[in-house]
Amino acid sequence: MQRQLILEDGTVFIGKGFGSDKEMTGEVVFNTGMTGYQEILSDPSYCAQIVTLTYPLIGNYGINRDDFESIEPAVHGLIVKEICDAPSNFRSELSVDEFLKQKDIPGLAGIDTRKLTRKIRQHGALRGRVCNMEVNVEEVVAQLQNHELPTDSVKKVSTVKPYPSPGRGKKVVLVDFGMKHGILRELTARQCDVIVVPYNVTAQEILQLNPDGIMLSNGPGDPKDVPEAIEMIQGVLGKVPLFGICLGHQLFALACGADTEKMKFGHRGSNHPVKDLKTNKVALTSQNHGYTVCEPSLVNTPLEVTHIALNDGTVEGVKHKEYPAFTVQYHPEASPGPEDANGLFNEFMNLMKNNQKVGNC
Amino acid sequence: MPKRQDINTILVIGSGPIVIGQAAEFDYAGAQACIALKEEGYKVILVNSNPATIMTDSEMADKVYIEPLTVEFVSSIIRKERPDALLPTLGGQTGLNLAVELHETGILEEFNVEILGTKLSAIEQAEDREQFRSLMNELNQPVPASEIIHSLDEAYAFVEQVNYPVIVRPAYTLGGTGGGICNNEQELIEIVTSGLKHSPVTQCLLEKSIAGFKEIEYEVMRDANDNAIVVCNMENFDPVGIHTGDSIVVAPSQTLSDREYQLLRNASLTIIRALKIEGGCNVQLALDPESFQYYVIEVNPRVSRSSALASKATGYPIAKLAAKIAVGLTLDEMMNPVTGKTYACFEPALDYIVSKIPRWPFDKFESANRKLGTQMKATGEVMAIGRTFEESILKAVRSLESNVHHLELKDAHEFDDAIIEKRIRKAGDERLFYVAEAIRRGVTIQQIHEWSKIDLFFLVKLGKVIAFENVLKEEIHNVEVLQEAKEMGFADCTIAKLWNQTEREVYDFRKQNGVMPVYKTVDTCAAEFESTTPYFYGTFEDENESIVTDRKSVVVLGSGPIRIGQGIEFDYATVHSVWAIKEAGYEAIIVNNNPETVSTDFSISDKLYFEPLTIEDVMHIIDLEKPEGVVVQFGGQTAINLADELEARGVKILGTSLESLDAAEDRKKFEATLARLEVPQPLGKTVTSVEEAVVVAKEIGYPVLVRPSYVLGGRAMEIVYKEEELLHYMKHAVKVHADHPVLIDRYLTGKEIEVDAISDGETVVIPGIMEHVERAGVHSGDSIAVYPPQTLSQDVKDTIIDYTTRIAKGLNIIGLLNIQFVLSKGEVFVLEVNPRSSRTVPFLSKITRIPMANVATKVILGTSLRELGYESGMHPEEEGVYVKVPVFSFAKLRRVDITLGPEMKSTGEVMGQDSTYEKALYKGLIASGMSIKPYGSVLMTVADKDKEEATALAKRFANIGYQVIATEGTASTFTKEDIRVKIVNKIHHEDHNLLDVIRKGEAQLVINTLTKGKQPARDGFKIRREAVENGVPCLTSLDTAEAILRVLETISFHTTPMKKVRPTKEVTTV
Ligand SMILES: Nc1ncnc2c1ncn2[C@@H]1O[C@H](COP(=O)(O)OP(=O)(O)O)[C@@H](O)[C@H]1O
Ligand SMILES: Nc1ncnc2c1ncn2[C@@H]1O[C@H](COP(=O)(O)OP(=O)(O)O)[C@@H](O)[C@H]1O
Ligand SMILES: [Mg+2]
Ligand SMILES: [Mg+2]
């Protein structure tokens, strides 16, 4: 069935609808990864966004039961050049179309996704809507222009209640701002005894659990939309070793007095080179963020920059000068994307180990 | 890390002649490397034996040596030049092996020449099977179980452990002869026995077969600081079991989930980190379609054919960066040349799909074994880019120039279902088309998958294309359907057939209805960053990115895939033409589809369109760019063949007019012209029926030379000695009828002479005349060419100059032309005029230092030769002697008869130069891979007609102490002339026959002119093949033999006893 993507600037892309046929609105962003659409679709950080994938053939290997990064995808739409109706892979169980129907998420295929990407590159992320052909385009454009991007995305995708993921190793409290399962997987792989807690957990609640370490997860949207988290971090900082990823990294920076800002079109893909300023080595990383920590704002903070994006020099990692706490903007848990940075989880383990030797600081 | 300051002179080793498995990709790599190193301010010394390359242009390096790639000669260059370092990883396997040999002789240490880039130890670790296995085990990277065996019993023992199927790879046989996959005991016995028989060291490698797995390649790079990246991964359409070089390949991988992708990525990076690769590297892996189980197949610790493909597929210039890594730069400090804004340390993101299809030489070798296996057979390849797989593969198909523009099997009706199944189960070069035909016949995708193991993903897509044929058929002139068809990559001519209209009608209808392509940029980053590289591909979508400038532009058509008869020489000329056009101030636009070449490096032209070279695809570009005109004379027959359709569509052909092209190529017009110019040519006629042929041949008189009209490389051309041979030829070799006429010429024996010239219609400049060693009848491309001529009298030369000038003017040639003459009984005849650039242009340009392609282009653009400072006539002969020696790839082409004849068979060439003819020839032969032993044995079996000539040669061989071996027949003729001969049994003898002599290496040279038959059954054929399989030089032309003798005679002092004392008259004194 013919459907269309309407952008706030009035541009219209007409293509073939798949997945759900409902209307959905969101910020249109692009991801340049050539594989990993299942992980991307189920990454809660895409909450309320419409994702266009720059790789033209999507769905080739279907959807399998293993590669989800969350149970309920929060993405508002998928835009592709071509969607594969006959997936081929030994793990494939569903086509992307079937999956999106199940999850009631609209998809749009058959459009010039490169044109769309170039538009986003030039104008920055745009608000858009996937809808039927009947709608009145002018009206939709007007609505889009007044459309406020949601500020409660984290609340939407975070767990409501704490839950344990038992293990015999280090006790880690994992704060779920919209956590990718990959993070939990990496901790579990290291025998951690994890307790996943909601985004609005307080410092006391965490300290009562007497963890060896705290992990701040990734998540959607603007870090400034979750002040409660910033407060929590300030409450635990210095008391427990801490590791943060993506939104967790931004919240940590804010908690330490730095500032964050929205990027033009963000970093979304599996090929982002990040330089470790300590070793001078570059890791290829998986990234998905629209906000970033402003480098200048770090001057009067206890933070030092540990990693930068090779291409645009933006802050990709910081560590606290006194306390055992460090965070990165990218995704060491990968899935999707390269696993070059996986070692950061070991660093976190060491941090917890050494910290114990010293005795709680 | 900043670049090395402690070195300044770097020796770069090229890859030598074009052979199967080592083609133009190394000219691309080498040229890029030289440019990169000079960019960094190093002094570059280049050595390569292949003159037909851009890399051997004097501008490419500070010093260029065109010398044999042997320890002997490269050592002398090292002694002379004292380079600080040597870069071996850009010259393919040749360069790599040579570097290892040099190292082993100790010369590198002696002159402390450092090896740049990947260390030799690492190279050996990657190349040596045992070392490689143990490394893989350390890294616990799985490799298929394998074992070296010397007997059938050892084979059984191995199979006991690993079970069938196993793959046999005989050690040290050039042709991979006797190798294969065994599924059961019977096949094991068969293949192992033959494998052991053929292996001079009676050794075979047995390996657990993983045929049927997905074959995946990763092109990776690493720098000295241990930064490692994947430039591109590729998935083979043909599963493991068919050499990647013979497989249809797509980039990026299509059927791998991110987990599989990362699994193999990690494996690849682990391996290059362990090997400490510094530069580019190719990792081949096999992945079980049913699990995460994978195996490492091999690692090539250097740039390769695949890295050239990856570079063109992504825009990421691997060789260039590899060279810079070699001098100490790291990926994170180098810019990505495509964006100019981002860094080279990243992994390209594609937003299109690339298909590569190999180009095989089987159109030349009807008798060849066309089955594909673990031994590569392709001579070249094409690449196409599209936004869907269908578009990409269909564009690739029509780029092949095999007269197929669609997934269509020629004469499909001739094949019954059984054949179709057979050809799908056991892959040959045309499997893709058999698969399509099977789908058309209603065979299920699943069934085809079971037969071929080709992934369902690809088969389903092919199914969609086939299904759409019917939609098209039903929907004549339906614009939406048409749009969809074009998005799927259907060619106009295919649509035309389905709509039964002309291609032109379809094109015009599309144009009226706005169904036209747009051009997208290959930018390495899927549009995430702005890029300014002018590298485009066409597709049917919304946004066009190819902005037409207001500068005047000229379009140059490239020569497409490398094949026998149309090799790298044409890319050389194309590149020079592009440069000349830029010099002249025009915007130079190139269209080509060969990923191996320099011409498809986006930094060469102002705009590169990576598109098929068909009228439709070229017209799209012309409609957009509206150039001043199109240059067709450098792109070989590929470009020439497009000329008349282009002109018919109102496009200006720059240079020699279509009319003149026709006058040279159309037989009747050509005869008329020569008659008018009073230039003699062999008596000949065009016939359109078998009966006519018989009559004409009789009146011309046998032997005659027969061939179909309009061909390059003398395809299906034969010398016919009697009527029954003629009838056989007319029946089997050609399909003669009214619009497929056959040409019959008198076959003139004599010297063949070749000339290239540049003409502006008034002035005709002749850079040089080349004399062939082999008499006419051996294709000019297969014979040894000598500059300057050694035996031609001044007035023969004058005649040739006169004829050439007359022809150039008479045909009003504007640009280049190439003429072949035969000097028969003192009279000069014209054999052929090619109104275009030729195989010998680079050779002559390099000798005479006249940049022929450049000058010709300037002329084409309207400057006169006078203005360019050239006078009519022949350029004064240069000092020294230069020979061009052909190189063949027979070892890789089983069942092919190596006898030289009017059909071209060579894949490449080398140049030998020195002060004398013999020295130059010696170098040329050495460079071509022949080992020349001052003494040894020569096995001679010659046809009766050659006995007399052969006897003279045998005598000379005997004189320099060579042992002459022959079978009775030949032997008796020799002994009559009291030449000492060792008689050897004919083939049919059980014990120690001449085949054993060859196999056991008891002969250093084989001279065989037995039968010029095509039927493989014949003895002569068996002997020649045996020689090839065992790497013994086999000469089928007595002229070549004579030339080698001259060399032998000069390098070996021959011993003669003192003469008897003169008898003095008896004088009696009283
Ligand atoms: N164990 C095996 N079983 C089946 N096919 C194999 C096996 N090993 C290699 N091959 C096939 O043979 C081809 C050539 O093998 P490779 O080791 O790459 O030699 P080359 O150096 O000629 O590239 C591969 O591309 C693959 O398709
Ligand atoms: N009339 C002839 N007499 C003897 N040899 C000939 C004659 N015509 C062609 N040949 C031989 O055949 C070869 C190929 O013929 P040519 O016309 O050059 O075809 P191509 O287009 O393949 O170059 C020539 O190089 C020459 O050796
Ligand atoms: Mg290989
Ligand atoms: Mg010729």
Side-chain angles (χ1 to χ4, degrees), chain B residues 761-829:
Chain B
E762 319 237 310
T763 313
V764 180
V765 178
I766 303 171
I769 300 176
M770 291 155 288
E771 174 183 4
H772 291 183
V773 164
E774 290 80 1
R775 69 200 75 178
V778 172
H779 192 279
S780 48
D782 287 353
S783 38
I784 299 174
V786 185
Y787 172 97
Q790 300 296 298
T791 71
L792 302 187
S793 68
Q794 191 53 47
D795 50 326
V796 167
K797 289 184 193 171
D798 293 340
T799 316
I800 286 168
I801 295 167
D802 168 41
Y803 285 175
T804 305
T805 315
R806 263 194 253 173
I807 291 170
K809 287 189 176 158
L811 287 174
N812 189 23
I813 296 289
I814 310 295
L816 287 171
L817 83 159
N818 162 269
I819 309 179
Q820 288 139 43
F821 300 94
V822 57
L823 173 62
S824 184
K825 308 202 180 63
E827 214 190 325
V828 176
F829 299 83

Side-chain angles (χ1 to χ4, degrees), chain B residues 215 217 243-244 282 284 297-298 300 305:
Chain B
E215 185 153 12
E217 287 182 272
H243 195 283
T244 46
N282 160 265
Q284 289 169 29
I297 294 175
E298 76 154 353
N300 293 308
R305 177 182 51 261

Side-chain angles (χ1 to χ4, degrees), chain A residues 42 44 68-74 99 103 163 179 181:
Chain A
S42 56
F68 290 113
E69 286 300 308
S70 71
I71 295 163
E72 285 308 317
F99 172 68
K103 300 298 181 183
Y163 61 90
M179 171 197 70
H181 288 174

Side-chain angles (χ1 to χ4, degrees), chain B residues 58-99:
Chain B
S58 47
E59 311 83 55
M60 279 293 139
D62 298 86
K63 283 204 184 151
V64 173
Y65 284 89
I66 304 185
E67 296 289 353
L69 294 175
T70 62
V71 169
E72 181 190 4
F73 287 97
V74 176
S75 299
S76 70
I77 293 170
I78 290 174
R79 285 195 196 87
K80 190 155 153 230
E81 296 291 343
R82 303 300 173 94
D84 303 310
L86 179 157
L87 186 50
T89 45
L90 294 147
Q93 202 59 41
T94 308
L96 220 47
N97 296 349
L98 184 52

Side-chain angles (χ1 to χ4, degrees), chain A residues 35 55 60 81-82 85 88-89 91 112-114 118 121 271 273 275 282 311 336-337 339-340, chain B residues 227 254 257-258 260 265-266 332 343 345 347 351 387 455 461 464 520 523 527-528 541 543 545:
Chain A
T35 54
Y55 188 66
N60 301 359
K81 161 70 180 174
E82 178 180 299
D85 51 15
S88 167
N89 186 283
R91 291 191 301 156
D112 188 337
T113 45
R114 184 171 164 92
R118 280 161 53 90
R121 180 185 85 211
N271 64 344
K275 185 166 212 149
V282 175
N311 284 335
E339 294 160 11
D340 297 8
Chain B
N227 297 311
Q254 295 304 310
S257 69
D258 189 62
E260 290 154 319
R265 178 183 181 274
N266 293 341
D332 57 323
Y343 286 84
C345 194
E347 301 192 342
D351 58 2
R387 288 272 287 167
D455 196 285
K461 296 266 181 208
K464 288 190 178 189
K520 304 258 181 216
D523 63 4
E528 182 175 6
E541 266 187 323
E543 186 181 51
E545 297 173 26

Side-chain angles (χ1 to χ4, degrees), chain B residues 682-683 705 707 711-715 717 719 745-750 752 754 772 774-781 783 818 820 822 830-834 836 839 901-904:
Chain B
L683 188 55
L705 190 127
R707 68 174 116 173
V711 286
L712 185 82
R715 171 142 195 261
M717 175 163 3
I719 298 165
D745 293 335
R746 162 167 300 129
Y747 170 62
L748 297 172
T749 42
E752 184 160 353
E754 188 160 5
H772 291 183
E774 290 80 1
R775 69 200 75 178
V778 172
H779 192 279
S780 48
S783 38
N818 162 269
Q820 288 139 43
V822 57
V830 170
L831 292 182
E832 182 194 42
V833 172
N834 293 311
R836 51 165 172 80
R839 199 170 295 114
E903 270 191 49
M904 182 165 165

Side-chain angles (χ1 to χ4, degrees), chain B residues 720-739:
Chain B
V720 164
Y721 289 79
K722 38 180 139 49
E723 184 162 324
E724 66 234 272
E725 282 177 25
L726 178 68
L727 291 169
H728 179 274
Y729 174 87
M730 297 304 282
K731 271 192 197 55
H732 300 88
V734 290
K735 299 198 185 69
V736 60
H737 62 69
D739 43 5

